[in-house]
Amino acid sequence: MDYENLLVEREGAVAVITLNRPKVLNALSPALIAELTQVLDGFDSEPVVGAAVLTGGPKVFAAGADIADMADRTPVEQVQRDQTGRWSKVTSFTKPLIAAVNGYALGGGCELALMCDLIIAGDSARFGQPEINLGIIPGAGGTQRWPRTAGKYVAMEVNLGGQPIKAQRAYQLGLVNRVVPAEVTVRVAVQLAQRLASKAPLAARLAKEAVNQSLELPLKEGLAAERKNFYFLFATEDQKEGMHAFLEKRPAEFKGR
């Protein structure tokens, strides 16, 4: 299927989704958001896809929301179209989702990267929330995910100052998993996605769910949720296959059931 704002391809069990509005630095228009959530919904229900990579290509991830589309909007219009609320479908994707970031990831582009489970950054990557320079604040998680990832004081610096941080500092802050040369960012992300896609699908789904719940729940409740998922997996064929393969010293063949 062809999309107006995305390029979509498959590499084995990995879906590669590329934001494709290069003339406006991949500005995140409502149409792009709609296509992206549609694509992720489709891959979420496709058993042969075990993980996905989201990128903006070799030069830029996404320079933010489409300002021309928002400049004269009223509060009522923003509520009615729920521009940023629609992003929740990205975070509800149940499979590993890796952002491959080159160049600018600003505003909504940075927030989109932070919605992913892992981030591979090219050495050209820049992460920031410049909304303060437009008289607004982030609306898709920038004030919430930065402190959870990099701490309160970095979050204040980024949200109040509006200046981006470079890839290496992002790595030092724990914001990204790896920094690599920009020309191999997507390739490294795909290789990582292929490794994650080879794992037991149900276990991967519940591990992702448990880690995400740890950010929302008190420790006691989080541990209870983890135990529930752990015990449930003993009802799966993959658990039997994985443990017997280990005992028999052979590679496991997971089926997702």
Side-chain angles (χ1 to χ4, degrees), residues 8-87:
V8 181
E9 56 185 329
R10 281 258 308 278
E11 293 196 27
V14 175
V16 181
I17 306 165
T18 303
L19 309 178
N20 188 36
R21 300 186 73 207
K23 292 182 180 179
V24 290
L25 302 180
N26 292 334
L28 302 171
S29 66
L32 185 151
I33 296 170
E35 288 186 355
L36 178 58
T37 55
Q38 177 187 352
V39 167
L40 288 173
D41 277 346
F43 284 133
D44 216 2
S45 60
E46 193 170 328
V48 295
V49 173
V53 170
L54 178 62
T55 184
K59 295 184 178 181
V60 63
F61 184 72
D66 193 333
I67 304 303
D69 178 68
M70 293 193 298
D72 295 316
R73 294 283 180 181
T74 68
V76 171
E77 288 174 328
Q78 289 290 68
V79 169
Q80 288 175 334
R81 67 179 188 161
D82 196 20
Q83 179 179 343
T84 57
R86 296 179 183 180
W87 287 114

Side-chain angles (χ1 to χ4, degrees), residues 125-257:
R126 302 290 185 271
F127 299 87
Q129 305 293 158
E131 288 89 346
I132 195 80
N133 300 320
L134 302 175
I136 58 172
I137 67 170
T143 65
Q144 303 301 303
R145 292 193 172 91
W146 273 93
R148 284 169 168 79
T149 304
K152 170 187 172 180
Y153 299 103
V154 172
M156 288 296 189
E157 174 189 348
V158 169
N159 282 279
L160 298 181
Q163 295 298 312
I165 65 172
K166 296 181 179 180
Q168 194 58 45
R169 187 177 180 215
Y171 174 74
Q172 293 167 350
L173 292 169
L175 194 75
V176 306
N177 297 87
R178 292 179 63 184
V179 178
V180 300
E183 61 269 19
V184 299
T185 307
V186 177
R187 175 49 44 196
V188 171
V190 170
Q191 290 172 347
L192 175 57
Q194 289 171 335
R195 180 162 64 86
L196 299 183
S198 72
K199 307 301 182 182
L202 290 171
R205 175 173 180 165
L206 294 185
K208 173 174 174 172
E209 177 185 288
V211 171
N212 284 332
Q213 285 180 322
S214 76
L215 301 174
E216 307 289 340
L217 299 175
L219 178 60
K220 184 176 181 180
E221 293 178 26
L223 290 171
E226 178 190 75
R227 285 195 299 272
K228 180 180 178 181
N229 287 355
F230 172 73
Y231 296 146
F232 168 79
L233 288 168
F234 280 78
T236 66
E237 294 179 20
D238 280 350
Q239 174 267 326
K240 302 297 185 291
E241 167 63 14
M243 291 191 173
H244 284 285
F246 174 81
L247 294 172
E248 296 164 13
K249 297 180 172 57
R250 61 175 176 80
E253 296 184 11
F254 296 117
K255 304 296 184 183
R257 57 179 185 259

Side-chain angles (χ1 to χ4, degrees), residues 97-111:
L97 180 60
I98 302 173
V101 179
N102 283 324
Y104 287 115
L106 301 179
C110 184
E111 291 170 305

